[in-house]
Amino acid sequence: EPEVTQTPSHQVTQMGQEVILRCVPISNHLYFYWYRQILGQKVEFLVSFYNNEISEKSEIFDDQFSVERPDGSNFTLKIRSTKLEDSAMYFCASSDRQGTDTGELFFGEGSRLTVL
Amino acid sequence: TQLLEQSPQFLSIQEGENLTVYCNSSSVFSSLQWYRQEPGEGPVLLVTVVTGGEVKKLKRLTFQFGDARKDSSLHITAAQPGDTGLYLCAGGNAGNMLTFGGGTRLMVKP
């Protein structure tokens, strides 16, 4: 069964360092997303991406964050100058269509980021 | 900002009991999805409801979308230990952005 894969599963970094989280969406999907979940808190939307550009982003997704689809298969989230409060589980998701009423988001298993 | 409140946050019941989880908001959503999340994994979609008043059944799970599309419920009949997990509701609007509730952690004891 097709699945969304994420790497690394866990990354520990020092505050101020840059981190890149990688995702391989399901191959025929066109819509890509990043969500995050701080320990003990709700899953929060960060950004959606379609046709090589950001289609929606939340207030959390500020200039510290960027996304890219560098090679047609990977979808990456870059966090520049990490802060302690960036520690969270980051989930990538993909969908084959627009709209949560008809489309299903398939989530990866997440990348746990720990900022020390 | 749209918010979804789930209740209860935690629920511990005996095998065979029935339970209901609620998801409430003051905002209208075009769709409401229910997910189940296992430890160390991402959320997995259980069902999507899109019409006010809609009821969907998935074996022993019954999902309902409120008439005004502001609330939803998940009812589990004769719960089993395999139902143990974290249940999340998520509301959707135009586009693919989901607003998640805080989750209900269910434990079903044998």
Side-chain angles (χ1 to χ4, degrees):
Chain A
E1 185 175 321
E3 59 181 14
V4 176
T5 57
Q6 290 185 241
T7 54
S9 56
H10 188 193
Q11 180 154 359
V12 181
T13 190
Q14 294 292 323
M15 192 168 54
Q17 296 296 303
E18 178 180 283
V19 163
I20 297 177
L21 305 179
R22 291 182 169 78
C23 170
V24 179
I26 295 173
S27 61
N28 64 333
H29 286 187
L30 302 175
Y31 301 86
F32 314 113
Y33 316 86
W34 284 101
Y35 284 79
R36 80 171 184 190
Q37 186 174 32
I38 295 171
L39 188 63
Q41 297 187 24
K42 296 180 180 183
V43 176
E44 301 173 292
F45 170 78
L46 292 178
V47 66
S48 60
F49 190 86
Y50 169 71
N51 199 26
N52 282 320
E53 59 182 30
I54 290 172
S55 43
E56 281 184 277
K57 62 181 181 179
S58 71
E59 294 174 352
I60 302 167
F61 195 88
D62 59 20
D63 292 343
Q64 184 194 5
F65 295 89
S66 61
V67 289
E68 194 177 32
R69 189 158 161 79
D71 57 12
S73 61
N74 289 283
F75 179 52
T76 62
L77 174 68
K78 182 188 290 186
I79 310 174
R80 285 179 284 273
S81 189
T82 49
K83 298 175 282 194
L84 295 176
E85 54 264 38
D86 295 327
S87 295
M89 183 73 90
Y90 289 81
F91 290 106
C92 174
S94 69
S95 176
D96 64 349
R97 67 196 73 176
Q98 171 108 357
T100 56
D101 51 348
T102 57
E104 175 178 353
L105 267 64
F106 290 81
F107 285 83
E109 293 191 343
S111 292
R112 181 169 298 283
L113 175 65
T114 301
V115 182
L116 302 176
Chain B
T1 303
Q2 295 181 311
L3 292 174
L4 270 173
E5 297 297 331
Q6 265 185 261
S7 61
Q9 286 183 283
F10 301 97
L11 191 55
S12 180
I13 61 172
Q14 292 295 132
E15 182 176 1
E17 293 183 356
N18 301 330
L19 67 113
T20 302
V21 176
Y22 299 94
C23 183
N24 294 294
S25 176
S26 58
S27 304
V28 174
F29 290 98
S30 60
S31 67
L32 202 295
Q33 299 186 330
W34 285 91
Y35 290 82
R36 180 170 165 175
Q37 186 178 16
E38 303 295 342
E41 298 182 10
V44 176
L45 182 67
L46 296 174
V47 78
T48 300
V49 284
V50 298
T51 306
E54 182 176 2
V55 176
K56 280 192 175 178
K57 292 193 174 185
L58 189 66
K59 296 184 181 178
R60 294 176 292 100
L61 278 60
T62 302
F63 304 85
Q64 184 161 8
F65 203 9
D67 290 341
R69 291 186 291 138
K70 293 181 179 180
D71 56 87
S72 181
S73 63
L74 157 61
H75 182 80
I76 301 179
T77 303
Q80 298 177 359
D83 295 327
T84 294
L86 179 66
Y87 291 84
L88 301 168
C89 66
N93 271 320
N96 284 356
M97 188 186 88
L98 289 173
T99 299
F100 278 85
T104 295
R105 191 165 296 282
L106 172 65
M107 176 174 289
V108 182
K109 301 175 187 174

